[in-house]
Amino acid sequence: MFPKQFPKQFPMHRPRRLRRTPALRRLAREHRVHPADLILPLFVREGLSQPQPISSMPGVVQHSSESLLRAVAQAAELGLGGVMLFGVPQQRDATGSAGLAEDGILNRSLREVRAEVGEQIVVMSDLCLDEFTDHGHCGVLDESGHVDNDATLDLYAQMAVAQAQAGAQILGPSGMMDGQVAVIRQALDAAGFNEVGVLAYAAKYASAFYGPFREAVDSQLTGDRRSYQMDAANRREAIREVELDLAEGADMVMVKPALGYLDIVADIAAMSPVPVAAYQISGEYSMIEAAAANGWIDRRSAIEESVLSIKRAGAESILTYWAAELATWLRD
């Protein structure tokens, strides 16, 4: 019997027609993740002779110099969009000088990686002081113990040039200092690195989900970063932050974290004239891994759905610790 609400003279639309088989669902799919959409964050720790597992991030390691090269070569072979390098030094000080040093772990690793893979994959570097300071903050501290924005910018400018000299093709300033993109852009151009791009962490929120990352970089932080990272309650403020970074010359903009901030990703994707990235952070990764390890969810399905949700929200590039594994699945 034809339902009364659908007169017989009109064909009834049935969305389920396009969901009936895997082939039909694939045909009608609105969004797809491609390996080139994915950026793999990688940690390299000074002094290691072999990779060291990160207990709070099952499957992720702090790399030795040798294992880092293998991981980057694999990422290139899989067709990933890029890799983002984070350095973990043996020695730290109040100004994060190891992050500027030519022979520091991050700059040394950038040179080695570029020598290994050349132009096969985009090599990116985290531009921040938190891994290198003995207090764990993203900038230098003033006499009262607060982050000194302008003094930090001077160090960011030096760090940008050092990373560009080492071979980084895109720099990722993640400290959320006011004016950081402009200062970095000016320093790069003045040093002749006008082709090096800036991926601005434009909307980086103070999040509870960074916890496992602290272990990954052996963070020395006590307290929090709420005085310079964004308040989780604020949505419109993210647009202002992005607009400022665009005006200062950002080539790409980033939202971090991703899953708890998909509304922010969508807002920025709707207004940004440059590519939008989102970072699926350590806590987001570890929650899914923990639930899967307990048998509460299907691991592969949850990973694929979580990354697809970031793509659907509007991110062109997604930083995820599953990038290499996802790329192998996408080949199936």
Side-chain angles (χ1 to χ4, degrees):
M1 179 69 65
F2 209 91
K4 290 182 178 179
Q5 66 268 31
F6 293 106
K8 286 187 177 182
Q9 65 267 32
F10 297 111
M12 185 167 67
H13 178 58
R14 289 182 178 270
R16 289 177 57 197
R17 290 188 184 114
L18 298 181
R19 303 173 190 159
R20 190 167 53 85
T21 69
L24 283 167
R25 292 192 293 274
R26 186 168 59 248
L27 176 69
R29 193 156 290 154
E30 297 177 26
H31 299 277
R32 292 177 173 83
V33 176
H34 187 275
D37 301 330
L38 306 175
I39 298 168
L40 178 62
L42 292 166
F43 305 102
V44 56
R45 181 166 189 159
E46 192 170 21
L48 291 184
S49 59
Q50 59 185 7
Q52 181 170 301
I54 300 168
S55 62
S56 57
M57 299 178 69
V60 181
V61 302
Q62 293 174 330
H63 282 283
S64 66
S65 295
E66 293 75 17
S67 68
L68 175 69
L69 296 182
R70 293 194 296 270
V72 175
Q74 180 196 39
E77 194 276 331
L78 289 169
L80 297 186
V83 292
M84 174 72 78
L85 303 192
F86 295 83
V88 185
Q90 287 183 314
Q91 301 295 325
R92 296 175 168 88
D93 58 31
T95 60
S97 59
L100 283 69
E102 182 179 349
D103 62 347
I105 183 60
L106 181 54
N107 293 328
R108 184 169 72 246
S109 297
L110 285 167
R111 286 194 300 275
E112 292 170 352
V113 164
R114 283 301 306 279
E116 178 75 15
V117 299
E119 304 291 336
Q120 296 177 58
I121 190 170
V122 179
V123 177
M124 308 178 179
S125 58
D126 178 64
L127 198 166
C128 196
L129 291 173
D130 59 327
E131 296 102 306
F132 302 100
T133 55
D134 56 13
H135 47 73
H137 278 286
C138 296
V140 292
L141 305 182
D142 60 22
E143 292 181 357
S144 63
H146 297 110
V147 173
D148 186 325
N149 190 93
D150 294 350
T152 298
L153 293 182
D154 291 339
L155 295 179
Y156 281 7
Q158 298 174 51
M159 201 172 186
V161 174
Q163 292 183 357
Q165 289 173 335
Q169 295 159 297
I170 293 182
L171 310 184
S174 58
M176 290 297 287
M177 297 296 122
D178 291 340
Q180 63 183 15
V181 173
V183 165
I184 289 167
R185 184 73 269 160
Q186 291 164 9
L188 289 172
D189 291 350
F193 293 108
N194 59 303
E195 297 300 323
V196 173
V198 177
L199 165 57
Y201 286 58
K204 182 178 180 181
Y205 285 82
S207 172
F209 294 99
Y210 294 132
F213 182 88
R214 306 281 189 254
E215 179 189 355
V217 298
D218 190 25
S219 175
Q220 306 300 299
L221 181 69
T222 57
D224 57 53
R225 300 182 177 127
R226 295 182 184 276
S227 66
Y228 47 98
Q229 293 179 355
M230 290 179 60
D231 191 314
N234 294 353
R235 183 173 182 176
R236 293 191 302 271
E237 184 182 11
I239 299 296
R240 296 201 299 274
E241 289 281 7
V242 170
E243 288 174 341
L244 287 169
D245 283 351
L246 290 172
E248 292 176 12
D251 300 289
M252 302 172 67
V253 292
M254 173 98 83
V255 177
K256 183 179 182 181
L259 291 179
Y261 298 83
L262 293 179
D263 57 330
I264 309 301
V265 176
D267 287 349
I268 292 174
M271 58 75 68
S272 175
V274 302
V276 176
Y279 198 140
Q280 188 176 39
I281 65 168
S282 60
E284 298 167 340
Y285 172 93
S286 297
M287 285 193 301
I288 291 176
E289 288 289 349
N294 279 281
W296 297 334
I297 58 175
D298 179 78
R299 180 177 180 274
R300 176 167 173 171
S301 296
I303 291 170
E304 290 175 332
E305 184 177 338
S306 69
V307 174
L308 181 62
S309 73
I310 302 168
K311 178 74 172 180
R312 190 183 65 241
E316 282 98 352
S317 297
I318 301 165
L319 284 83
T320 175
Y321 299 100
W322 288 303
E325 190 172 12
L326 270 166
T328 63
W329 295 343
L330 291 168
R331 287 181 165 189
D332 294 346

